[in-house]
Amino acid sequence: IIPSHVEQQIETIYKLVARNESINFAHTALLFAITAAALYYKLLIESPEHAEPFSQEHTFLAGAALIQSNYIPNPSLEGLQATMVIGHHLSNMNVPSSVSSLFVHRSFVSQATGMGLHLVDCPRVVAERSANGFDKTKIELKRRLWWDLATYDWYVFSRDLAGTIPDDI
């Protein structure tokens, strides 16, 4: 998450709502994903009995915003960030199955590859960027999202693999 970008997106959401205009649902999903995780951890300290219900509500809202953004055929960086924030957070709570399916690892990878994040450093794409110009912050965000997915995948694979190797080998 790049705080300055998210702050700008949140300000835009509030301005559009105040003017009764349409909002970007992917940005809204990211806002709800951040608040779901933040509420959970803040309330674990202050009011543990409210941590999960409040976080679930915001997770559900993030899921609804993702569905409204039509994120599967039209993935966006913000939608991917929202799904990843919630996905990393889900292991700590019970989320209704109607929403939890939105936040599985294969969904993250599908969105990321759909946006070409796995190609961000391939020579052809680097050459195109050099020729056409680019936003360094956006490229770094794409790179970090991809490597977060890759390292999580490696972690899960190595953990699963470790469980299949006999101890006497």
Side-chain angles (χ1 to χ4, degrees):
I1 305 258
I2 299 171
S4 61
H5 285 192
V6 175
E7 287 173 18
Q8 183 180 30
Q9 291 166 358
I10 292 169
E11 288 174 13
T12 301
I13 290 168
Y14 279 101
K15 287 176 186 174
L16 292 172
V17 168
R19 293 191 310 242
N20 202 27
E21 295 179 19
S22 297
I23 58 174
N24 182 317
F25 285 111
H27 294 181
T28 307
L30 180 56
L31 170 60
F32 284 130
I34 291 168
T35 57
L39 272 172
Y40 181 80
Y41 294 110
K42 181 168 179 50
L43 291 175
L44 266 183
I45 297 166
E46 297 175 0
S47 181
E49 68 277 5
H50 294 109
E52 193 163 317
F54 285 9
S55 185
Q56 281 182 352
E57 184 176 325
H58 284 255
T59 298
F60 183 80
L61 291 169
L66 284 167
I67 290 168
Q68 288 292 315
S69 75
N70 206 15
Y71 84 104
I72 293 175
N74 301 307
S76 67
L77 289 176
E78 295 81 7
L80 177 60
Q81 288 173 287
T83 56
M84 289 174 68
V85 167
I86 296 291
H88 288 312
H89 172 59
L90 277 181
S91 61
N92 297 309
M93 43 182 271
N94 298 312
V95 175
S97 59
S98 62
V99 175
S100 63
S101 62
L102 300 175
F103 306 109
V104 295
H105 189 67
R106 69 180 169 273
S107 169
F108 308 160
V109 174
S110 176
Q111 289 176 69
T113 56
M115 291 184 288
L117 269 58
H118 63 301
L119 302 173
V120 77
D121 289 321
C122 85
R124 178 185 53 80
V125 173
V126 170
E128 288 173 10
R129 273 198 314 262
S130 295
N132 301 322
F134 60 96
D135 178 346
K136 289 180 183 182
T137 305
K138 190 172 184 177
I139 297 303
E140 186 60 23
L141 176 60
K142 289 179 178 184
R143 183 178 290 115
R144 288 177 186 213
L145 289 168
W146 179 254
W147 285 108
D148 182 279
L149 291 170
T151 55
Y152 181 77
D153 195 47
W154 292 336
Y155 167 73
V156 171
F157 176 75
S158 65
R159 189 184 64 191
D160 291 345
L161 185 61
T164 62
I165 299 173
D167 290 334
D168 59 348
I169 291 183

